[in-house]
Amino acid sequence: MHFDWVLIERTVAAVGSVIVFVVAAVALKNDWKTPGIENQVFKIMLALLAIGGIVAFLAGIDVLGRFAGAA
Amino acid sequence: MAVITVPDGHAHDDGPDQLYVETRELRLQGFLLFLVSDVVLFCSFIFAYLYLRNSGQGWPPAGISRLDVAFAAFNSMVLFGSGCTMHYALENWKHNNFNKYVACMVATIILGVTFLGGQGYEYTTLMLKDHVTWSGSGIFGASFFTLTGMHGFHVAVGVIYLSIILLQSIHGTYTKDKYFGLTAGTLYWHFVDVIWVVLFSIFYLI
Amino acid sequence: MATATVHAGGIADHVHPEPQGFVRKYIFSIDHKIIGIQYLITGFVFLVLAGLLAEVIRVQLMHANGGFVSADTYNEVYSIHGSAMVWLVIIPLATGAFGNFVFPLQIGARDVAFPWLNMVSFWLFPPAGLLLFGSFLLGAPAAGWTEYPPMSLQGAPGTSMWCAAIFLVGVSSTMTGLNFLVTLIKMRAPGMTFTRMPLFCWAQFATAPMSMIATTALAAALAALFMERQFGVPFFDPTKGGSPVLWQHMFWFYSHPAVYIMILPVFGIISEVFPTFARKPNFGYKMIAFSSVSIALLSFMVWAHHMFTSGLAPFLQLPFMILTMLIAIPTGIKIFSWVATLWEGKIHYTTAMLFAIGFIATFTFGGITGVFLSAVPFDLHAHGTYFIVAHLHYVLVGGSLMGLLSGVYYWYPKMTGRLMNDKLGHWTFWLFFIGFNGTFLPMHMLGLLGMPRRVATYDPQFQTWNQIESIFSFVMTFALLLFFANMLWSLRNGKKAGSNPWGARTLEWQLPSPPHYYNFKHIPTVFSTPYDFAEPLPYAGLEEELTDSPGPAPAVAH
């Protein structure tokens, strides 16, 4: 059986990144009002994780990525 | 006889004692500053990579094959997913759901190891199939392997750290109010995640 | 009878048990005071070694075609001289020695935030020094303390040792910066807001983030150079796609803040010495404090003024030129403030004060030549000449070293309980001042006449002045030997100092000399800055410090 690995990887990336984005956004929304410096840092990191989700999604659907496709 | 008293402003009833509160503040500041210096370390090498790449040789340099974006996107999912499970691990600890906490920690560790395995696969493909090596492929190999290698090293350290935290929490070292090691571990793991967002973007997407 | 009860609790009252045994007390000590003294001794040992290298340089340069050492050895000598002075002498003395000993006492703390980390920081330092000087055995680096590729890529194995040595001492410095920053933010005594802190603490507060952030950038550069030399990983080799200018960017991004790491703590020392011996508060306390912080910030934005001749595009040179000129402003504000502190004060000419006043003269001179150099057209002519050597020695020796010597005379009584001999100190100062200026003043002229730096032989037209410089350098070296003799002699024979021989007002002077291992029996409360000589001391809770009452009980292990 020959799998199109590239398609599988891209699908996982596209679907997974949506999940990651949702998790990060929900966590950010729920924890928005927590005090303390560690919580401010967590919020920044969750926001960057959400951005990571967006970036990975765009890579998954082949919008971003100079080297689209396997070598 | 004059008595000068200075109210210390901290309640002494239940909850963690003041010594712990103040020690934790010191440790937290120290750990955050350590993360800042680690960010500077990565930024220095990222600057070097962008500077060298911008020196007009064309990218990728002649004779170097392209990077596998699809696989890297998949591996990024593994790592970002571990960031989500790590977040839930801390949440579950705070809400006293010990079993769910353990499950999330185990998931995080497994995903972390999987990411490292994926990096190992990527490295062997690059080195054996595409003949891109650390020292033999000009600045492409130098910057790619140095930066992703540094990152992978940080992930490996994180996996070990999280495993130790998991064992300690099973052993009962942490309580509902005293769990700074877990907070630090979560901060570190998110930091490793965020660095990967940047590395993924600058190596695979631009 | 007044009693002070301070319900501080927590970290403020947390006392470690007293260390037992010689090893825990004096070798592997976690006490910031002992660690500070360890840095002081080790730094001075390296000062002697690096100073000997300097004298090798001066002997070689006495003759235009001197044969004291070969040209290759000469290159190694000045490379290690510079590297050692920067990383093994000035930075450890300014941050590790005085930083460690003084500021925790001044903020009313029992120790730094992470005492064990402090000990590790110190113990990285001697091995790093051994590695650096040991590089002579394998062929020391020979491309200057700046080790530009491609020369440093081709250098003898000692260059890799240099990388490792500086990396180690850099890790030490980064950890110290982190430690100090957390201590200053979190462990000030009750009532000590930032604007009531002594100015020495402000200086350390501005230096610590530079130590932390800039040194990490250096670690990256050193790691890259090491990887390229040892494993062939190309970063800087142009034949493999690398860039030598990249090294310069990475190196100077650290090394420019490094020079401010070397001077800001010394500015702090001057800010303590001047009010004490002029019996006046510092003029412009807030200006001095904020200018320290702005210098620290600006220091990250000027690095390429070391690279004006490296082929940078003019649109890059211009902003660096302007920012470099800007950074002279906060420094100038400080100089004016210090001079105004002296104005109409009652000056006590102790040795510490002499070195501090001398500092104003020589550092200002060095700062002015720095402003000359900030102008790109001037720098294009002066770069790589003895003008630069003159400038850097005026700010680093006339500035940093003289300020550090002032600090030694000032705080030696607090560290040891005895005063250094003041008469010998006066002789030391004048011999040093004359020797220093005689050595480095003519170098400005020689540089502008065209004598390049880092050369073992030179055009005979410069010989007379070089001989004069060498002779004056021997005078300066003799003065330093007098200084060390004074330090050693005074340990046993110095006059007993008591707790406050200078009548100073910061917290460390309200404690016995040397202080107990726990520093304070009761953490004091602070009500204002310490410098206002017209007011009583702005502290509460210090009544028992100089009595024989027992110290605080060690806290239960946490």
Side-chain angles (χ1 to χ4, degrees), chain C residues 233-516:
Chain C
V233 182
F235 287 101
F236 309 119
D237 185 344
T239 62
K240 298 186 189 164
S243 167
V245 179
L246 174 63
W247 165 265
Q248 295 181 28
H249 279 297
M250 290 175 88
F251 178 84
W252 286 113
F253 184 75
Y254 159 77
S255 294
H256 194 81
V259 315
Y260 293 105
I261 294 173
M262 291 192 273
I263 200 68
L264 273 181
V266 173
F267 286 166
I269 295 176
I270 303 298
S271 298
E272 298 300 330
V273 170
F274 265 23
T276 301
F277 296 120
R279 282 289 178 268
K280 271 184 70 196
N282 271 305
F283 183 93
Y285 168 93
K286 285 206 173 123
M287 295 302 282
I288 297 180
F290 295 145
S291 66
S292 305
V293 175
S294 46
I295 289 172
L297 273 167
L298 278 170
S299 72
F300 284 99
M301 304 187 212
V302 298
W303 77 90
H305 68 226
H306 300 272
M307 297 165 60
F308 284 152
T309 59
S310 300
L312 293 179
F315 79 86
L316 276 179
Q317 293 177 329
L318 188 60
F320 281 108
M321 174 173 117
I322 295 175
L323 284 164
T324 308
M325 291 176 169
L326 277 182
I327 205 172
I329 295 177
T331 313
I333 288 175
K334 290 177 152 206
I335 303 281
F336 279 117
S337 299
W338 287 321
V339 172
T341 305
L342 294 182
W343 188 264
E344 292 196 340
K346 170 112 181 68
I347 315 280
H348 298 265
Y349 291 99
T350 59
T351 310
M353 190 56 158
L354 286 179
F355 271 104
I357 297 176
F359 163 94
I360 299 286
T362 47
F363 177 78
T364 308
F365 198 91
I368 290 176
T369 56
V371 180
F372 282 27
L373 290 166
S374 68
V376 174
F378 181 86
D379 185 76
L380 292 180
H381 290 280
H383 183 87
T385 69
Y386 262 81
F387 192 89
I388 304 278
V389 178
H391 161 72
L392 78 92
H393 284 94
Y394 262 83
V395 287
L396 284 177
V397 182
S400 295
L401 189 61
M402 279 184 50
L404 289 168
L405 295 178
S406 171
V408 174
Y409 283 99
Y410 187 60
W411 276 301
Y412 183 95
K414 184 51 57 182
M415 294 178 181
T416 62
R418 290 181 187 270
L419 290 161
M420 286 176 75
N421 187 302
D422 204 49
K423 192 146 192 281
L424 187 55
H426 280 235
W427 273 95
T428 306
F429 168 73
W430 285 110
L431 284 171
F432 187 86
F433 192 76
I434 291 168
F436 166 78
N437 280 293
T439 310
F440 295 107
L441 193 60
M443 288 186 187
H444 295 96
M445 181 182 65
L446 289 184
L448 292 179
L449 286 174
M451 180 176 173
R453 67 188 288 203
R454 296 178 174 168
V455 287
T457 59
Y458 52 85
D459 190 294
Q461 65 169 299
F462 304 125
Q463 178 163 298
T464 316
W465 279 110
N466 267 290
Q467 285 178 330
I468 295 173
E469 288 168 3
S470 294
I471 294 173
F472 275 102
S473 82
F474 301 144
V475 173
M476 189 172 77
T477 302
F478 177 69
L480 274 176
L481 291 175
L482 282 184
F483 167 76
F484 289 123
N486 197 346
M487 273 187 83
L488 291 169
W489 179 87
S490 304
L491 271 178
R492 287 288 147 82
N493 304 303
K495 231 179 354 176
K496 291 255 176 155
S499 66
N500 196 353
W502 314 127
R505 296 172 58 92
T506 43
L507 274 169
E508 76 272 27
W509 299 106
Q510 320 310 324
L511 299 174
S513 303
H516 296 290

